[in-house]
Amino acid sequence: MQNNNLRFIKHSEIDYDKWDQCINNAFNSRVYATSGFLDRTAEVWHALVWKDYEFVMPLPVGRKWGITYIYQPYFCQQLGIFPVAPVEIQTQFAEELIGRYRFFQFQVNPQLIPDAFEKFELTRKINYILPLHEPYSTIASQFKKNTRYDISSAYKKGIQVVNTLNSREYIELKRQQVGRKVDARSFKMLAKIISWGQVKGNGQILAAITPNNELCAAAFFLKYGKRLIYLNSFSTPEGRKYKAMYAILNDVIHKYQKSGFLLDFEGSSVEGIASFFKGFSPAEEYYYHIYLNNLPFPLNYLKRDKR
């Protein structure tokens, strides 16, 4: 399936400098596709590269029952082709994928052209982004009434937002809240991402404490380009009672007012979480889930779409 312009490159052969230059300069750039982020979230990732890194597509690969497949790593909301490629090039990427792999369950950026991926099952998903271009008063005036009330209530109950929590403490407290409901591997990946972000100076943990000095909620934010990504968070029962996460997000919005950043909530298919995000009146941004299952029976049934 390979042609003269499109190359499949194994992970060990990827030129990281050219890769990151391509991702960082792309109009549709996302931190999830940078080499540093992928190295911390994908156990193995290869790539499709057009000419001399003019367009690239990361391929996180897993292997089970003798089958190599493409999957969506934890914490990588969307990958895809970078920068935005014309339909004829996207079509060649799609054909190359089909020729190499028999199973995909993958999320890609909004610039994917459905006609190029017509052999895949495409589902549109929603992300929420809040532009932070205006003064805080203008942004806050657009919040839903209930959200404004919950923000006010959090502060009246004595919630304070601090940045004194370290990554080890964050992971341990998160683990206590979610326990076995979350794959243990995800905690290791999250710890790597937080440490990486803090070393680079692009990651920050904000925590909420009650009047009794009890930590009740925290969130990790990662800056990339002009996006401030609400990458991970947790609340204790006390935090939910105090509406602490409203205070954390409100503090972030206040800090980054008039900055030109986009607060990226990352969206959610969980109704309660989506409703929480919508309270801040963000804009909607769509991206795609792509699915293909050409596995033989009975593997095609065992690996059916589990979105």
Side-chain angles (χ1 to χ4, degrees):
M1 298 295 296
Q2 195 163 320
N3 59 46
N4 293 330
N5 294 320
L6 185 60
R7 296 176 293 145
F8 171 82
I9 301 181
K10 291 184 177 181
H11 180 249
S12 60
E13 300 169 350
I14 295 171
D15 185 320
Y16 270 32
D17 290 336
K18 289 184 177 181
W19 180 274
D20 285 329
Q21 183 177 18
C22 178
I23 298 298
N24 293 335
N25 292 336
F27 168 76
N28 59 341
S29 180
R30 293 290 187 276
V31 69
Y32 318 110
T34 61
S35 63
F37 199 92
L38 282 167
D39 280 351
R40 288 160 177 82
T41 56
E43 294 178 356
V44 179
W45 63 281
H46 304 313
L48 292 182
V49 174
W50 183 268
K51 294 185 178 179
D52 190 21
Y53 290 81
E54 291 181 20
F55 301 100
V56 301
M57 185 178 198
L59 304 176
V61 295
R63 188 169 179 81
K64 195 170 186 179
W65 302 316
I67 302 294
T68 302
Y69 58 91
I70 303 294
Y71 74 102
Q72 195 69 27
Y74 292 122
F75 309 109
C76 284
Q77 187 206 49
Q78 49 183 275
L79 295 171
I81 301 172
F82 303 89
V84 183
V87 63
E88 59 272 16
I89 291 179
Q90 290 203 26
T91 299
Q92 292 185 56
F93 271 79
E95 291 299 327
E96 182 72 22
L97 289 173
I98 292 172
R100 286 189 173 274
Y101 302 103
R102 303 179 73 176
F103 181 84
F104 299 80
Q105 191 157 282
F106 196 46
Q107 291 175 184
V108 297
N109 56 52
Q111 289 73 34
L112 175 136
I113 299 173
D115 286 350
F117 284 78
E118 61 181 1
K119 295 179 182 178
F120 294 78
E121 181 181 323
L122 302 183
T123 304
R124 203 166 67 157
K125 304 190 74 172
I126 300 177
N127 188 30
Y128 300 108
I129 53 173
L130 181 65
L132 302 178
H133 309 316
E134 303 291 338
Y136 171 81
S137 58
T138 302
I139 299 171
S141 68
Q142 301 300 312
F143 295 168
K144 297 292 193 294
K145 182 178 178 179
N146 287 346
T147 295
R148 291 199 301 270
Y149 175 83
D150 287 334
I151 291 170
S152 176
S153 176
Y155 292 126
K156 286 179 180 178
K157 291 177 179 178
I159 287 294
Q160 295 184 55
V161 179
V162 299
N163 63 354
T164 56
L165 197 65
N166 63 43
S167 59
R168 180 185 57 78
E169 292 169 328
Y170 180 93
I171 295 296
E172 183 56 35
L173 289 165
K174 170 94 177 183
R175 193 193 306 272
Q176 290 174 16
Q177 296 308 307
V178 299
R180 296 180 180 178
K181 292 184 291 185
V182 174
D183 189 329
R185 291 177 303 168
S186 71
F187 289 113
K188 294 180 181 179
M189 291 180 188
L190 182 58
K192 291 178 182 179
I193 294 168
I194 292 176
S195 296
W196 175 70
Q198 290 181 325
V199 167
K200 291 177 67 67
N202 296 329
Q204 184 178 23
I205 297 171
L206 293 180
I209 56 175
T210 69
N212 297 324
N213 204 35
E214 178 184 353
L215 191 143
C216 62
F220 174 68
F221 296 87
L222 185 64
K223 287 191 290 186
Y224 178 74
K226 277 296 185 179
R227 287 193 178 237
L228 179 64
I229 304 164
Y230 178 53
L231 192 81
N232 195 259
S233 66
F234 70 85
S235 287
T236 68
E238 279 290 287
R240 291 187 284 275
K241 173 184 171 182
Y242 277 89
K243 307 294 184 182
M245 199 57 69
Y246 286 93
I248 289 175
L249 280 168
N250 188 68
D251 268 36
V252 165
I253 292 166
H254 194 276
K255 178 182 178 181
Y256 284 91
Q257 62 175 313
K258 299 190 291 186
S259 66
F261 272 82
L262 291 175
L263 176 55
D264 186 339
F265 291 101
E266 286 203 319
S268 179
S269 57
V270 179
E271 185 176 346
I273 298 175
S275 178
F276 169 63
F277 294 155
K278 289 177 183 178
F280 293 90
S281 298
E284 292 184 350
E285 178 184 70
Y286 294 93
Y287 61 103
Y288 292 97
H289 175 280
I290 65 174
Y291 175 75
L292 181 73
N293 188 342
N294 285 335
L295 296 172
F297 182 82
L299 293 179
N300 62 339
Y301 177 78
L302 295 173
K303 291 294 291 183
R304 62 191 184 280
D305 195 356
K306 297 180 180 178
R307 279 168 293 164

